[in-house]
Amino acid sequence: MSAHRVRAVRRLLAVSCLSLVSAGVFAQATGTTTGDLRGRVTDESGAVLPGVLVTAVSREAALARSDTTGSDGKFAIRLLPLAPYRVSAALDGFEPLELESVRVLLGSSVNLELRLKVATVTESVTVGAREALIDPTSTDVSQTIDETMIRNLPINQRDFLDFALTTPGVEADRGPQTGAASTSGLSINGQSPRQNNMLVDGLDNNDQAVGSVRSTFSQDAVEEYQVIRSSFAAEYGRATGGIVNIVTRSGSNDLHGSAFYFFRDDSLAADNALAGTKTPFEQHQFGATVGGPLLRERLFAFGAVERLSVSDANFVAITDPEVLSAIRAAGFMVQSGVVPFDRDRTAAIVKLDWAPRPAHRLSLRGTYAEEKDENQQAWGGLVARSAGGVRRIEDSALAAAGISVLSESLSNEARVLYASRRHRLESLDPTGGVSVAILGVASFGADPTLPQPRDARIFQAFDAVSFFRGNSSYKVGVDYLRNEIEGRLPLYFGGQYLFSGDLGPSSLDAFRLGRPLVFLQGFGDPRLEDSSTEVAAFAQGEWGVGEHVLLRAGFRYDYEDPIAPFPKDSNNWSPRLSFSWAGGNRWRIHGGLGRFYGVVPIAPASLIAIENGDRARIVLRTIEDEPSSAFFWSLPDRRFPSEPEADAIPFTVYRLGGFESAYSDQATVGLEKELSRTLLFHLDYLHARGRKVLIEHNVNPFDPVLGRRLDRLHGDVFAYDSVGNTWYEALTAGLRTGLGRPLELAAHYTFADAEDDHIDWSKNQPQDPLKIGAERGRTVHVPRHRVVLSAVWTAPGRAGEWWRRDWTAAVIADYASGFPYNELAGFDRNGNRDAFSDRPEGVRRNSRTLPDFFNVDLRVARRFLVGRAAVEAIVEVFNLLDRENILEVNNVRYQNAGLEPNPSFGEPTRVADPRRVQLGVRLTF
């Protein structure tokens, strides 16, 4: 870090600290897994009432807590488990007041304005509670998805991570298919899908090897779900993008349970747009939940299990008879057209909650999941099944958490976790032969990065203390996380050949002639066993300025000790400031700014540790070397018979360049206004600037002017450098209704301008790897315009004819303008011997766009009462309009260096699923 940047960070940190000291530090006390009840009590004239006893009682959570209003009439009941509460207020001389079913939501405060009448009768007054649409204590940019949405929205394969895609600023990962190096699947604020933090009950649920997500559990085990985009509290970290915060369900005093089954197959589906006919498909998904008391008012249990079994198919677009004939003549077999694959998953969760006293609550959670996916190393389009990979995973975790309200002014949250993951990704090629890529035509043979077996163990401990004093409080905490990993990375050990149009009329002709541009083969010891450690400390504060302004400030410190050779990083300070100004009863303005650090994925460090030229190495030969790549293509096995024969040849290595932890600087400002008692309008602007993003680039390319590489002792030298950047500006306008109503709706439009100068550290080299700045272009993850609507309507009450009662309808509609993609020339235009990264002359990176995307998913259900139980019949339709949504096209413009057009350029190679109908039934009691 430069001296100028160090001084800037220190100044900002000093301002934050002085603000905390001068105001009296006040923390956002809602916590990661809880919410608050806050408010003010007045008499009929509007005068504040001190000394009022306000009590919140939840039968579901078996909990009762209270607070007494101060001289300003305000009360706060903090760190409440998520549940509906009966809230009562009592003061001598006034009629008691009760509010029924006040729902506490994740990470937010329910604000109540209670007005007591002078006593005239002894009976209490019971009224219905109106949930405030505006939370004046919130300063982050977030959206909570409650139980109604979770239960009823039509989510494909019930993967609750997809709920995040219904919120603003969150896009599906559209980067290259990366198999073993899979991502979280979500790009938040245009940042890397590897740089989000997925939390379950406030604890880590990430596969830090690659920045993806560990296996999850049944959707029916989720209580609430929160996506936090920006201005989040200092308690949250390890993410340059956003936070996905999931809280699991608990048992209660009443015994409840459910069982469900969903089914769909190709008879309920439309034709595949590429195949022109229906493709084989069958899916079964079933499971059950149960929850209730083991010891009433004290000990509760909840459990859920779910099974998914899918038989599906991809369309392999390698169908040209001339191409297939050439491939088979070379001794390779390729399945073309509709090719089947299987995927299955089993997941289970068990949770115990113990409430020894109302002020203390402990929980113990265990999860287990196993899955197999024959499309994990994705194939289809111009990639044959043989070039794909099958993944087998076993995940288990044991977590414990405790919340203690020690006094009216002091509370503590503690959490611990142990998790393990057994990850196996193997090639789908039964022969184990070499990998072949014919640019713009086909890829087949065994994937050169497979197999990739690895095992991981994760340890985490978290503790935070909150102190409350009147209207102010503070929160400080520490978070320890350790990852232990062992595995193998036999990179290119099977060999790989790359063919392009540089050496003939086309890349296909080069393949026919046996003239590969490049050949690679790896040797050595691919094993690794190591660990990484992260320690964080934070302090965060909140205070009020007058009646309408709330300020927050905090800072976070992250220390990281990654896998060698990555160095320890001890200067990651993250100051954060935010505010909320409720200028009126029905509107407010909020905003904030801060710095957010990510973490080093373990995979790049492992790759450098293994493929360093000593432990393992990769031989690279080109058509112009002696012996040439064509010589090895002519061998019976098309590769070196043994390592000694390759010892005298320069080899490719991976090295660590300049490294600093990636971070994003973010700033937000937003407006919320109640249009009615049930409808809220919000307008948000968000700026995010990502820096020091880790990328991979070749720092030893062939120099056509010199006629050689700069380093003659090596072939390609791939360096990992912290030189990547992201730029993101977005404006979102949206509407949402309050939760718990017959119609729950969220709709938003987002205009975004998102750019970056990299795609990922796992694939895709820059056109000129020595000039990263020239790569700046639109990011592939973010469209310019996007509109999303999600809504659930439930027929209210039990009145009316029987056929009009107990219906539920839900919809998710998603429109996006064309996503960017990168156009390739089809040959080595700049002469650096990498034909797979060059664009046509004058073409900017990611300057092409796909057609617009539009999808509608619909769910209709009817419930039938059978005694104390209910049976629900469900029909879901995914891609209701059967629209052909194109996900990938052939992006190679020319066949050769003579600029002969590629006749398949721009043709679709991968599309989204056609319309599919799913039938389901659910029993609840």
Side-chain angles (χ1 to χ4, degrees):
M1 180 178 286
S2 67
H4 175 75
R5 189 172 298 132
V6 170
R7 288 193 296 270
V9 171
R10 286 176 177 170
R11 283 196 297 269
L12 186 53
L13 181 61
V15 171
S16 300
C17 294
L18 289 173
S19 299
L20 293 174
V21 171
S22 64
V25 185
F26 183 82
Q28 184 175 356
T30 53
T32 310
T33 62
T34 59
D36 290 351
L37 278 173
R38 303 190 191 188
R40 183 174 60 176
V41 183
T42 64
D43 62 17
E44 292 180 277
S45 69
V48 298
L49 291 177
V52 180
L53 180 65
V54 182
T55 303
V57 178
S58 171
R59 175 179 173 79
E60 186 175 298
L63 181 145
R65 288 190 194 156
S66 61
D67 188 37
T68 302
T69 59
S71 59
D72 56 2
K74 293 182 178 180
F75 66 92
I77 306 176
R78 309 175 192 274
L79 301 176
L80 291 172
L82 309 181
Y85 288 82
R86 172 179 287 182
V87 179
S88 62
L91 179 66
D92 289 343
F94 290 85
E95 295 177 0
L97 178 67
E98 288 186 354
L99 301 178
E100 293 287 348
S101 194
V102 177
R103 181 80 194 187
V104 171
L105 299 175
L106 175 60
S108 64
S109 294
V110 178
N111 289 272
L112 302 174
E113 289 289 335
L114 306 181
R115 181 164 293 186
L116 299 185
K117 296 181 179 181
V118 175
T120 57
V121 294
T122 57
E123 296 181 357
S124 64
V125 178
T126 302
V127 299
R130 182 178 80 88
E131 176 200 345
L133 296 179
I134 292 178
D135 177 6
T137 67
S138 173
T139 61
D140 57 31
V141 181
S142 65
Q143 185 165 319
T144 297
I145 300 171
D146 74 336
E147 186 179 9
T148 299
M149 290 281 196
I150 291 169
R151 177 185 174 89
N152 293 298
L153 284 178
I155 295 295
N156 194 12
Q157 295 188 354
R158 294 168 46 83
D159 183 352
F160 58 76
L161 287 178
D162 286 351
F163 285 117
L165 297 173
T166 67
T167 65
V170 182
E171 307 291 345
D173 175 12
R174 295 181 181 271
Q177 305 297 303
T178 50
S182 58
T183 72
S184 69
L186 305 173
S187 172
I188 302 179
N189 302 333
Q191 306 305 302
S192 168
R194 303 187 189 281
Q195 288 292 347
N196 301 314
N197 194 355
M198 307 292 174
L199 301 175
V200 174
D201 295 330
L203 289 162
D204 178 274
N205 196 53
N206 304 287
D207 181 351
Q208 198 175 316
V210 291
S212 67
V213 185
R214 296 202 303 275
S215 293
T216 54
F217 36 81
S218 173
Q219 176 179 318
D220 286 5
V222 178
E223 179 72 25
E224 279 188 16
Y225 186 100
Q226 186 183 36
V227 180
I228 311 175
R229 291 176 60 198
S230 187
S231 294
F232 40 85
E235 178 177 345
Y236 297 106
R238 303 185 180 124
T240 65
I243 305 293
V244 177
N245 188 19
I246 299 155
V247 173
T248 58
R249 290 177 61 186
S250 298
S252 66
N253 270 325
D254 297 321
L255 180 64
H256 293 289
S258 66
F260 61 88
Y261 172 70
F262 293 93
F263 167 78
R264 51 179 139 160
D265 68 4
D266 48 52
S267 68
L268 302 172
D271 292 348
N272 180 282
L274 293 181
T277 185
K278 292 185 178 183
T279 57
F281 179 78
E282 186 173 322
Q283 177 174 304
H284 302 269
Q285 195 164 13
F286 52 91
T289 69
V290 64
L294 298 179
L295 182 63
R296 292 188 64 82
E297 305 294 336
R298 290 291 180 267
L299 184 63
F300 315 95
F302 175 82
V305 64
E306 183 167 310
R307 169 73 177 173
L308 170 69
S309 178
V310 181
S311 295
D312 203 347
N314 285 332
F315 183 79
V316 178
I318 311 171
T319 56
D320 188 318
E322 185 180 357
V323 173
L324 292 172
S325 176
I327 292 173
R328 289 163 183 164
F332 297 90
M333 294 302 297
V334 168
Q335 295 173 279
S336 63
V338 177
V339 183
F341 68 90
D342 294 328
R343 180 170 63 248
D344 58 68
R345 180 180 70 240
T346 302
I349 179 172
V350 175
K351 186 178 181 183
L352 298 175
D353 288 273
W354 180 41
R357 291 189 297 276
H360 303 280
R361 193 173 186 90
L362 305 174
S363 65
L364 181 67
R365 170 176 54 84
T367 57
Y368 174 80
E370 62 179 14
E371 68 174 66
K372 182 186 79 171
D373 186 353
E374 292 182 338
N375 195 41
Q376 175 60 33
Q377 187 82 2
W379 50 276
L382 299 182
V383 180
R385 176 185 164 95
S386 62
V390 53
R391 182 176 73 173
R392 295 177 175 86
I393 282 181
E394 289 185 28
D395 273 325
S396 59
L398 184 65
I403 296 178
S404 294
V405 179
L406 304 173
S407 69
E408 290 187 358
S409 60
L410 188 66
S411 67
N412 188 80
E413 300 170 74
R415 300 187 281 269
V416 294
L417 167 74
Y418 169 76
S420 67
R421 161 166 275 208
R422 185 179 186 272
H423 181 286
R424 298 292 181 270
L425 185 62
E426 299 167 344
S427 173
L428 285 170
D429 184 0
T431 69
V434 296
S435 168
V436 180
I438 308 173
L439 183 58
V441 177
S443 295
F444 51 91
D447 186 283
T449 65
L450 304 182
Q452 285 195 34
R454 54 183 164 88
D455 297 305
R457 293 173 296 277
I458 300 98
F459 307 87
Q460 185 179 13
F462 172 94
D463 191 81
V465 177
S466 298
F467 175 73
F468 315 107
R469 185 180 58 195
N471 291 326
S472 65
S473 68
Y474 64 86
K475 187 173 188 177
V476 295
V478 294
D479 190 358
Y480 170 87
L481 182 66
R482 178 178 175 84
N483 276 267
E484 297 179 351
I485 190 167
E486 55 183 288
R488 297 174 65 249
L489 185 60
L491 202 61
Y492 296 101
F493 276 38
Q496 183 183 41
Y497 286 92
L498 307 177
F499 293 87
S500 74
D502 292 89
L503 306 171
S506 68
S507 56
L508 180 61
D509 289 321
F511 174 74
R512 284 198 191 97
L513 296 171
R515 293 177 59 78
L517 184 67
V518 174
F519 166 61
L520 303 98
Q521 186 177 351
F523 302 96
D525 179 5
R527 295 172 298 173
L528 176 76
E529 184 174 354
D530 211 330
S531 64
S532 66
T533 302
E534 297 150 23
V535 180
F538 65 89
Q540 55 192 30
E542 173 189 287
W543 62 97
V545 179
E547 287 293 318
H548 303 291
V549 178
L550 181 141
L551 298 178
R552 282 205 176 97
F555 61 87
R556 179 183 175 93
Y557 170 74
D558 286 278
Y559 167 83
E560 190 169 10
D561 183 7
I563 286 179
F566 276 71
K568 299 176 181 178
D569 196 345
S570 59
N571 63 345
N572 296 338
W573 294 89
S574 307
R576 301 172 191 179
L577 300 168
S578 57
F579 75 94
S580 173
W581 173 40
N585 293 331
R586 302 183 64 176
W587 65 273
R588 76 173 182 123
I589 295 174
H590 62 91
L593 57 88
R595 176 163 292 181
F596 306 91
Y597 276 94
V599 295
V600 179
I602 293 174
S606 302
L607 178 61
I608 295 169
I610 294 172
E611 303 290 342
N612 56 14
D614 295 323
R615 183 179 298 181
R617 58 213 137 268
I618 301 169
V619 173
L620 181 148
R621 304 303 287 163
T622 73
I623 194 67
E624 298 178 358
D625 292 326
E626 185 60 41
S628 73
S629 53
F631 170 79
F632 299 103
W633 180 255
S634 66
L635 295 176
D637 201 28
R638 304 191 191 279
R639 54 192 171 197
F640 287 100
S642 62
E643 183 177 0
E645 298 186 41
D647 274 350
I649 298 175
F651 49 82
T652 293
V653 297
Y654 288 79
R655 291 178 177 170
L656 177 64
F659 170 73
E660 292 184 51
S661 293
Y663 65 89
S664 65
D665 288 326
Q666 300 184 15
T668 67
V669 64
L671 165 71
E672 290 182 340
K673 179 173 177 56
E674 289 188 11
L675 302 181
S676 69
R677 293 174 61 88
T678 60
L679 189 64
L680 178 74
F681 169 78
H682 64 91
L683 182 68
D684 296 289
Y685 166 78
L686 194 149
H687 161 89
R689 176 70 166 89
R691 293 180 172 88
K692 304 299 180 183
V693 181
L694 190 69
I695 69 167
E696 176 197 289
H697 64 126
N698 184 5
V699 295
N700 194 40
F702 184 84
D703 188 325
V705 177
L706 296 177
R708 61 176 177 82
R709 298 179 187 272
L710 297 176
D711 179 356
R712 300 185 181 187
L713 299 179
H714 292 95
D716 292 330
V717 177
F718 293 106
Y720 279 85
D721 279 312
S722 298
V723 294
N725 297 273
T726 63
W727 297 264
Y728 180 82
E729 311 278 342
L731 184 67
T732 295
L735 297 170
R736 69 172 177 85
T737 61
L739 304 179
R741 291 178 169 81
L743 175 64
E744 289 193 16
L745 176 147
H748 65 266
Y749 160 74
T750 299
F751 171 82
D753 182 12
E755 294 184 325
D756 55 29
D757 53 19
H758 63 284
I759 180 60
D760 194 21
W761 47 252
S762 64
K763 284 189 177 182
N764 292 62
Q765 286 293 304
Q767 177 173 260
D768 186 343
L770 301 181
K771 295 180 180 179
I772 303 301
E775 290 291 292
R776 180 170 175 174
R778 292 181 60 191
T779 177
V780 297
H781 307 298
V782 181
R784 188 76 72 190
H785 307 276
R786 187 168 181 229
V787 180
V788 179
L789 165 71
S790 58
V792 176
W793 174 81
T794 304
R798 301 288 301 160
E801 295 87 345
W802 67 270
W803 52 270
R804 297 176 59 183
R805 302 194 305 260
D806 300 315
W807 287 94
T808 300
V811 64
I812 298 176
D814 187 352
Y815 165 81
S817 59
F819 286 88
Y821 72 90
N822 196 34
E823 180 183 336
L824 297 179
F827 62 96
D828 184 12
R829 191 175 63 81
N830 60 9
N832 68 353
R833 296 188 179 175
D834 178 10
F836 284 68
S837 65
D838 290 286
R839 299 183 290 274
E841 186 174 1
V843 174
R844 291 188 63 193
R845 175 175 166 271
N846 296 340
S847 59
R848 286 274 183 174
T849 56
L850 296 171
D852 291 356
F853 177 97
F854 182 57
N855 184 74
V856 178
D857 296 336
L858 177 67
R859 183 183 193 269
V860 178
R862 174 75 197 282
R863 194 168 62 116
F864 302 89
L865 298 180
V866 183
R868 293 184 60 249
V871 177
E872 189 176 26
I874 303 165
V875 178
E876 292 176 293
V877 187
F878 299 97
N879 193 0
L880 176 68
L881 304 180
D882 193 29
R883 193 172 191 274
E884 180 185 353
N885 285 312
I886 297 172
L887 303 180
E888 286 182 6
V889 298
N890 188 323
N891 65 334
V892 179
R893 179 187 283 188
Y894 302 116
Q895 293 192 66
N896 51 41
L899 305 186
E900 183 178 349
N902 176 8
S904 299
F905 174 64
E907 292 295 316
T909 58
R910 191 165 67 95
V911 297
D913 291 336
R915 179 175 58 238
R916 288 176 173 171
V917 178
Q918 177 167 278
L919 306 178
V921 61
R922 181 194 302 273
L923 170 69
T924 58
F925 64 89

